[in-house]
Amino acid sequence: MEARNGFAPWQARVCDRVAAALDAGRLGHGLLFCGPALLGKHDVAAYLARRVLCMSRAAGGEPCGQCRSCQLIAAGSHPDFRDISFIPNRDGTRLRTEIVIEQMRELSAQMALTPQYGIAQVAIIDPADAINTAAANALLKTLEEPVPGRYLWLVSAQPGRLPATIRSRCQHVEFRLPPHDEAETWLQARGHDADDIAEALEAARGHPGLAHEWLEGEGLELRRQVAGDLEGLAAGRASPVEVARQWTADEDVVLRLRHAADIVVMEASHLTDPARTRSLAEWFDKANRTRDLMRTTVRADLAVVELLMAWRAAQRGR
């Protein structure tokens, strides 16, 4: 009951709908929990797994939290529940960036077994869009051969990256951004300052999870710094080389580039000059391409210098 009561309103709405459909037998074995990141998709899927596997559900179908099944899930050792994500690479030095075929083969073998606790088996794959091609083919075979009492739930913030064959074999459970007042109330309940909430929600385009993450950490302050840097470059007070050095000096370079692109989008939304709007749109695309380069072997500082020089040149041409 505690986990259910801890849901945000948008989570609770989705959870109630899916729980009712599960109880009524209206859902197939394959579900795709999709929608923007940081809206609590995995938490809802995990709660529903506890609900399905609980041996002594409380009133309203809530998992009791006390039975052997609930205790095993809490301990991470339930034989009928699998929570699949990234695993260490071969030498154990870091996590893989893909979900690989070995994981899907192991899952398929597990799903073919009789549930040890006689109720069901549930597997959650998150992020499902990180499944590589070979793993996707193995997963597709499992989806195409449903077995009663087996639930295969995929969680993704970017479902378009999944093969269409997999998406088409899953019923979609969609998470959407909540109304602004609901997001604001939720953030207030977490103790954030009203003025900061307004700024963070505007910056996050109404996304409460993203706003909360920025308010809890340094994300909002980082955005203010990026805005100041762009203004300084436009006014000729700052050097592209020096700003690029600062932006790439730590692990926040990708977030800085995201903030920069978002700031430009917000500026463009208030413009009436078509030429200026096109110029900002071109720089927005360049900023996103530069952000993608941060995942490659390209020197980050040189890529960001080029981007910031293009920004300064565009501002001088206004």
Side-chain angles (χ1 to χ4, degrees), residues 183-201:
E184 194 174 58
T185 300
W186 182 78
L187 288 168
Q188 288 172 349
R190 270 135 195 84
H192 297 304
D193 177 77
D195 290 340
D196 288 342
I197 288 173
E199 182 182 356
L201 273 179

Side-chain angles (χ1 to χ4, degrees), residues 153-294:
W153 297 344
L154 281 58
V155 179
S156 175
Q158 297 176 303
R161 292 187 174 183
L162 282 164
T165 48
I166 288 179
R167 296 198 308 270
S168 66
R169 284 165 175 78
C170 296
Q171 292 173 269
H172 292 202
V173 178
E174 296 189 8
F175 285 67
R176 296 184 174 89
L177 296 182
H180 187 277
D181 58 344
E182 185 174 276
E184 194 174 58
T185 300
W186 182 78
L187 288 168
Q188 288 172 349
R190 270 135 195 84
H192 297 304
D193 177 77
D195 290 340
D196 288 342
I197 288 173
E199 182 182 356
L201 273 179
E202 181 182 15
R205 303 182 199 175
H207 191 317
L210 188 56
H212 177 60
E213 182 178 81
W214 289 349
L215 289 166
E216 286 283 284
E218 301 296 327
L220 190 58
E221 180 58 33
L222 201 66
R223 184 184 181 88
R224 293 167 181 158
Q225 293 172 8
V226 168
D229 289 339
L230 292 178
E231 183 181 344
L233 287 165
R237 297 191 305 270
S239 159
V241 173
E242 178 58 26
V243 173
R245 186 191 65 77
Q246 294 171 2
W247 282 20
T248 58
D250 55 34
E251 60 187 17
D252 290 325
V253 59
V254 171
L255 182 55
R256 286 188 177 92
L257 291 170
R258 172 178 179 158
H259 282 319
D262 285 346
I263 289 167
V264 167
V265 167
M266 292 182 68
E267 180 180 341
S269 68
H270 297 102
L271 294 177
T272 57
D273 178 3
R276 176 66 178 153
T277 301
R278 283 195 301 273
S279 175
L280 290 180
E282 290 171 1
W283 194 85
F284 170 82
D285 290 339
K286 187 175 181 65
N288 285 330
R289 290 195 299 272
T290 303
R291 186 170 63 182
D292 290 339
L293 288 175
M294 298 301 103

Side-chain angles (χ1 to χ4, degrees), residues 113-144:
L113 300 176
T114 300
Q116 292 192 32
Y117 280 79
I119 298 174
Q121 287 193 44
V122 181
I124 298 173
I125 303 175
D126 182 16
D129 48 84
I131 296 174
N132 67 22
T133 301
N137 291 334
L139 173 63
L140 181 60
K141 183 176 180 182
T142 303
L143 285 168
E144 289 176 334

